[in-house]
Every structure is written in C-alpha cells, then in structure tokens.
Amino acid sequence: MAGAPAARAGGTFRPVQPEEAGLYGLPLDEFIPARTALEKRLRKEGERERAAAVKKLPKPSVAAWAVNQASRSQPQARRDLLDASAELREVQDRLIAGDATASDLEAATTRQRAAIDALVDAAAGLLTGDGKSLGDATLARVRETFAAVASDTELADLVEAGTVDRERRPSGLGFPFAAPSPAETAPKGGSGAGKAPKGGSGAARAPAGRAQEPAKERKQREKDAKRRERELQAAREAVKSAKTEEKEAARRRKAAERDAARAARELDRAERAAEEARAAAEAAQTELDSATAAAEAAVGAREDAEAQLESFG
C-alpha cells in the first residue's frame, strides 16, 4: 500500500504496513537501528514519502513495548481484552440511557480485569535489553494502558496490531461499588422470641419486639437503595464526563492531524524545491563548464589566427 505507510491515531503514528508494524515487535534496543535501516532502504528504492513517514515512527516507551510484546505473544488474552472492553463500552452507553445498573458495570469491569491480569502476567515475564525485569511502576503503566482500551477505540486498534508507542490512562472507569449490606443478603435471625425483656413477661413483650424488627430492616433497605441510586447516578455522570472528554480529545486530535498534514505538505514542497534548486545548480555548473571550454577554445583560435597573420607580415 505505497503512499500510506502510517496513519495518525491518538496523537501518534499507527503503522499500517507489515514492515513498519514489525518494528514494534522487535526487542526495544533494536527499534532505532531497524527503523533507520528501513528508512534508508525505502529512500534508495525511491519510496521517498514512505521513508519520511517511517522516520517519524516513534520509539515505544518501555511500558508500551511491554504492552506490544504481551499482546503479540498472548493472542487469546488479547482477544478476551478487546471483547471485554467492547462490552464495557456498551454497558457504559446503557448506563447513560438508564438501561443498566451499577451491578452490570461491575460485572463488565470484572471481566475486563481478568483479561488484563493475564496480559500483565505475560508482561511481568519480559526482560529489557540489559537483562532487567520490568519494575512495579512500569507494570502499573502496562495495566493502565490495557484498562484504557475500554475508553479508547483507537488504542484498541493499536493493541490488536501490537503497535502501541506510549502508555495511556483510562477515563470514565473505576467506579466504586459497595458490598451488599447484611439486610440485603439475609434477614436477621433474632426475633426476640423466647427472651423475656426487662420489666414484663415474655408473652406480653414478644409481639412488640417482632413488630419492630421488620421496620428496622425496611429502613435499612431504603437507606441502602438510596445509596445505590446515588452511586449509579455518580457512575452515569462520570460516564457522561468521560464521553465529553473523549469528544474534546477527538477534536484536538483532528486539529493536530490537520496541522501535521499541512506541515508534511510544506516539508514535501520544501524538499522538492531543494531538489529542483540542486538540479538547477548542477545544470548551471554544467553550462558554466561548457561556456568556459568554449571561451578557452575561442582564445586559442584567436591566438592561432593572430600568429598566422603575423607570418604574412
């Protein structure tokens, strides 16, 4: 696919040809030499635009490199992550519409977390170029990047291709969920029967005690229901806020893409102008050399003619 070696995604370049994408599967310390070699070969073969795009491909950070290696080496876990993340996005949309509950969101988040755990475990076994294992801070960034797939569909494409260049952070995820209260899971066992309260017989006070127990439980359930409703509303507001942030990021990305495209066109025009100027300079030098030779030949002819004229004198 000549002429389209890379596309912009999330403020970075996304390789779309096998050779470019393959750079992100190499050991981290081999990325720059391999990129330089590919750029030189493409220029030599006349693919100037593609070579220029290859030169701009950013070297991945250590965390991004680990994300790519784990994604490439664990295809099933990668697929599980992409599927779970798509499901989580769908649940978020349903939350906004009021068709999902906090429990639905918690279940979807749990499925995504299981897929992330498998990929982070794979990343934890990687070694850097100097033989060192990844530190906890790096693995934390790896985990955050995988979690961000649910809120960034372009990142999902990069993870699927194994061409992530920098770590990302999730947005709109991680809502708190409270565990069910005892009143929601099981009724209280003590009803007061068989115990005689102070100040009266057990037969006379037991009915009043039994009547008070359900009232307490009902009050607790109402309190818990209100709490869950507040949590659900907070989750919906957080999702809306994340959607707004995503739209703003998309707008800024498009503006950056336009600026980058304009800069690339200007650079291309400058490169063409420089080539034309070099060609013009070479042509002028050739003409100068030819004119100089002609002038020297003319001088020699004049001198010969003068000498011949003198011989007749």
Side-chain angles (χ1 to χ4, degrees):
M1 185 162 43
R8 297 286 298 188
T12 187
F13 284 94
R14 180 176 66 201
V16 294
Q17 293 203 42
E19 284 185 296
E20 283 87 326
L23 295 173
Y24 290 85
L26 297 173
L28 190 57
D29 55 356
E30 295 181 16
F31 182 90
I32 296 298
R35 185 187 65 184
T36 301
L38 177 58
E39 178 203 352
K40 290 182 178 179
R41 179 172 66 78
L42 292 173
R43 288 192 182 279
K44 186 176 181 180
E45 294 174 354
E47 296 191 57
R48 187 163 52 84
E49 291 184 4
R50 185 179 168 193
V54 167
K55 186 177 181 179
K56 296 176 182 177
L57 291 175
K59 178 181 178 180
S61 64
V62 175
W65 171 79
V67 166
N68 293 333
Q69 303 309 306
S71 299
R72 289 167 179 261
S73 65
Q74 305 295 322
Q76 185 57 55
R78 181 186 68 227
R79 174 48 48 194
D80 290 344
L81 171 68
L82 296 174
D83 291 345
S85 297
E87 179 186 4
L88 188 51
R89 285 193 294 274
E90 186 266 339
V91 170
Q92 287 179 315
D93 290 338
R94 287 171 51 208
L95 266 175
I96 295 177
D99 295 333
T101 66
S103 296
D104 294 330
L105 186 61
E106 183 179 20
T109 303
T110 299
R111 283 189 286 274
Q112 192 212 30
R113 188 179 298 120
I116 291 174
D117 288 343
L119 289 166
V120 173
D121 286 346
L126 296 172
L127 298 177
T128 60
D130 54 4
K132 295 181 179 179
S133 59
L134 303 182
D136 292 341
T138 299
L139 290 175
R141 291 193 292 272
V142 169
R143 180 177 294 279
E144 286 184 338
T145 301
F146 282 130
V149 170
S151 57
D152 188 339
T153 55
E154 289 183 335
L155 175 60
D157 292 339
L158 295 175
V159 168
E160 185 168 23
T163 56
V164 179
D165 71 318
R166 58 185 174 83
E167 56 267 27
R168 312 291 174 84
R169 298 191 67 180
S171 62
L173 301 177
F175 304 125
F177 295 97
S181 66
E184 294 176 271
T185 55
K188 295 180 180 180
S191 64
K195 294 184 180 179
K198 294 181 181 179
S201 66
R205 300 296 298 270
R210 287 194 296 270
Q212 290 173 358
E213 285 288 340
K216 284 184 182 179
E217 294 178 8
R218 183 168 57 255
K219 185 176 180 181
Q220 182 62 46
R221 283 195 297 270
E222 291 173 355
K223 181 179 178 181
D224 293 337
K226 289 180 180 179
R227 186 199 68 240
R228 289 196 302 273
E229 181 60 30
R230 288 195 300 270
E231 291 176 352
L232 180 56
Q233 184 60 33
R236 288 173 178 164
E237 292 299 326
V239 171
K240 288 181 180 179
S241 176
K243 295 287 185 180
T244 301
E245 292 176 2
E246 185 178 359
K247 288 180 180 179
E248 175 61 18
R251 184 193 65 76
R252 292 174 58 190
R253 182 181 67 249
K254 288 181 180 179
E257 288 174 352
R258 288 194 297 269
D259 292 343
R262 182 169 58 253
R265 289 193 298 269
E266 292 174 356
L267 176 61
D268 189 58
R269 283 196 295 269
E271 289 178 345
R272 285 200 301 269
E275 290 181 359
E276 292 172 358
R278 282 194 294 270
E282 291 174 357
Q285 184 62 50
T286 300
E287 178 62 22
L288 175 61
D289 293 342
S290 177
T292 300
E296 291 174 350
V299 170
R302 177 180 59 75
E303 291 176 348
D304 291 343
E306 289 176 348
Q308 186 176 9
L309 182 62
E310 289 178 0
S311 67
F312 285 109

